[in-house]
């Protein structure tokens, strides 16, 4: 879906009118979050959001993958595979699966880390463990109580924040903020904004750390596009952020085409974009997540340039210490001191 603009306005009649539904939805979700989850037997680290839409979970998962490997762990990502038709459990195979099978994010991440897609997360745990996982990285699922989480890292875009702070459908929150704060172990703020400073302050009162990070464009991607006029398109949570990132790198963005989050592009839409780019002598550029959705059985359509980014933490030592501490506590809780 394309998120409503009124979610990110301070006051709105539509938001006020939908508030009763938000209260009901929030109460149901909050009660559901109180359930006791199943113990996977190995550490489970969840990377989630307080709100619907994107904020940088996938780059965070990939950054944690690298860190865990540096710590000697064997991480496997567990995803629900949003937008895919397969219920799983299934190990994602980049040569065999498409985004319509297992969703765009798993297809993107599997280049760097093994990914299990499972609508039933418990079945997904069993498959991940059978493939040698020592740590499970949950991509999303913070509000889902099925699995016991040893650490929950919440990702927020520091420039957008949490919008009007109301619960879906009146606003973007998936559950009342207070209930979500209580289950948060660390906050990952992406970017240089201040829109989530109040959330960070609330968590600081609970002695929960704030980790600052930023999306760094891949140098090769930038070099490939400098000096060219581009038509940028994206079907992610915040396409405007992608367009701003291109311009911040000195890339001339002549045209932009935003689509809804997780948009599955039709052949006609791609043909129309290609025709517009050719007519105006523009280079087509999109995100890696969108490119995953464009990848069909025969590969990716020609002439589309992916713009790669990776997440860099301001204080990687603090992140390393945080994850190491949670891994130690998770294993101590299960097996006791040795």
């Amino acid at each position: 879906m394309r998120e409503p603009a009124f979610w990110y306005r301070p006051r709105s009649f539509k938001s006020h009118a939908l508030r009763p539904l938000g209260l009901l939805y929030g109460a149901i979700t909050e009660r559901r979050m109180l359930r006791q989850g199943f113990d996977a037997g190995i550490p489970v680290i969840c990377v989630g959001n307080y709100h619907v839409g994107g904020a940088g979970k996938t780059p965070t998962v990939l950054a944690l993958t690298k860190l865990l490997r540096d710590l000697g762990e064997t991480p496997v990502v567990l995803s629900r595979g949003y937008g895919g038709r397969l219920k799983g459990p299934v190990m994602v195979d980049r040569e065999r699966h498409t985004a319509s099978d297992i969703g765009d994010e798993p297809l993107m991440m599997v280049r760097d880390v093994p990914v299990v897609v499972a609508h039933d997360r418990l079945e997904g745990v069993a498959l991940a463990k059978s493939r040698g996982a020592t740590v499970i990285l949950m991509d999303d699922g913070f509000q889902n109580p099925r699995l016991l989480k040893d650490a929950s890292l919440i990702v927020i875009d520091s420039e957008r924040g949490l919008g009007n702070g109301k619960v879906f459908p009146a606003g973007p929150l998936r559950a009342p903020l207070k209930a979500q704060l209580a289950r948060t172990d660390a906050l990952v703020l992406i970017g240089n904004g201040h829109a989530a400073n109040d959330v960070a302050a609330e968590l600081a009162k609970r002695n929960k750390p704030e980790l600052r990070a930023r999306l760094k464009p891949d140098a090769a991607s930038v070099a490939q596009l400098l000096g060219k006029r581009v038509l940028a398109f994206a079907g992610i949570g915040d396409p405007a952020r992608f367009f701003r990132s291109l311009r911040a790198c000195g890339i001339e963005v002549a045209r932009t085409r935003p689509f809804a989050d997780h948009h599955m592009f039709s052949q006609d839409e791609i043909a129309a974009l290609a025709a517009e780019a050719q007519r105006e002598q523009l280079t087509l550029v999109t995100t890696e997540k969108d490119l995953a959705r464009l990848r069909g059985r025969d590969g990716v359509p020609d002439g589309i340039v992916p713009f790669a980014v990776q997440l860099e933490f301001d204080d990687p030592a603090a992140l390393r210490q945080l994850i190491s501490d949670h891994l130690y506590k998770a294993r101590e809780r299960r097996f006791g001191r040795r």
Side-chain angles (χ1 to χ4, degrees):
M1 61 172 273
R2 192 186 297 274
E3 62 184 29
F6 71 80
W7 281 359
Y8 288 87
R9 294 175 187 156
R11 294 181 180 178
S12 166
F13 172 77
K14 290 181 180 179
S15 178
H16 181 73
L18 291 169
R19 187 169 177 269
L21 286 177
L23 291 173
L24 177 61
Y25 183 92
I28 293 171
T29 306
E30 182 177 3
R31 183 173 180 180
R32 185 168 174 254
M33 289 174 68
L34 294 173
R35 297 176 189 169
Q36 184 66 34
F38 175 81
D39 190 338
I42 59 176
V44 174
I45 299 173
C46 175
V47 178
N49 294 138
Y50 291 149
H51 61 298
V52 300
K57 290 193 304 295
T58 300
T60 304
V61 169
L62 293 176
L64 290 177
T65 294
K66 184 178 184 304
L67 171 59
L68 287 167
R69 285 175 173 159
D70 289 344
L71 292 172
E73 303 288 347
T74 303
V76 173
V77 172
L78 177 59
S79 171
R80 192 177 182 277
Y82 181 86
R85 64 179 180 81
L86 298 181
K87 294 183 178 180
V90 59
M91 292 295 304
V92 177
D93 184 337
R94 189 171 172 81
E95 299 304 317
R96 185 163 57 94
H97 295 129
T98 65
S100 61
D101 296 325
I102 44 82
D104 51 9
E105 289 158 348
L107 198 63
M108 176 182 168
M109 290 187 289
V110 78
R111 295 176 307 175
D112 300 292
V113 59
V115 180
V116 171
V117 163
H119 286 199
D120 185 326
R121 297 180 192 273
L122 301 191
E123 293 181 357
V125 165
L127 180 55
K129 291 174 70 173
S130 75
R131 299 301 175 95
T134 63
V135 178
I136 288 175
L137 270 175
M138 283 184 66
D139 177 30
D140 212 356
F142 173 64
Q143 294 81 12
N144 189 305
R146 287 281 280 167
L147 267 185
L148 176 67
K149 303 167 186 71
D150 294 288
S152 291
L153 278 64
I154 299 301
V155 182
I156 300 180
D157 182 330
S158 66
E159 295 183 4
R160 301 187 84 207
L162 300 177
N164 62 16
K166 294 181 172 57
V167 177
F168 180 90
L173 292 185
R174 298 182 179 188
L177 184 58
K178 184 177 180 179
Q180 300 195 82
L181 289 170
R183 291 160 180 79
T184 301
D185 294 293
L187 185 66
V188 178
L189 290 179
I190 298 180
N192 300 314
H194 305 285
N197 285 2
D198 55 343
V199 177
E202 284 296 320
L203 285 170
K205 295 176 184 177
R206 305 166 189 252
N207 295 316
K208 303 300 182 182
E210 165 195 339
L211 299 167
R212 285 273 177 177
R214 58 207 73 254
L215 292 169
K216 182 180 179 181
D218 175 68
S221 294
V222 174
Q224 189 176 2
L225 294 169
L226 283 177
K228 298 177 180 178
R229 299 172 67 246
V230 306
L231 190 166
F233 68 98
I236 57 176
D238 184 12
R241 182 177 63 178
F242 169 56
F243 305 147
R244 288 195 303 270
S245 296
L246 291 171
R247 292 187 173 106
C249 293
I251 297 166
E252 184 180 354
V253 181
R255 295 282 187 276
T256 61
R257 295 290 179 267
F259 294 86
D261 197 12
H262 298 284
H263 180 75
M264 297 300 290
F265 296 95
S266 68
Q267 290 184 347
D268 288 344
E269 285 172 328
I270 296 304
L273 287 168
E276 182 180 1
Q278 184 177 24
R279 185 170 60 250
E280 301 193 28
Q281 296 184 320
L282 304 177
T283 298
L284 281 173
V285 59
T286 192
T287 69
E288 288 192 303
K289 186 185 290 190
D290 286 289
L291 199 72
R293 257 175 282 123
L294 290 167
R295 184 184 180 88
R297 305 292 178 187
D298 299 323
V300 178
D302 292 334
I304 300 175
V305 177
F307 188 75
V309 297
Q310 63 180 4
L311 192 68
E312 289 191 351
F313 284 82
D314 291 358
D315 190 349
L319 176 66
R320 184 184 181 95
Q321 189 62 57
L322 174 76
I323 297 301
S324 296
D325 288 348
H326 279 291
L327 291 177
Y328 176 82
K329 291 174 183 177
R331 288 172 174 137
E332 183 182 49
R333 180 176 60 81
R334 289 179 174 91
F335 308 115
R337 294 183 181 273
R338 295 187 178 181

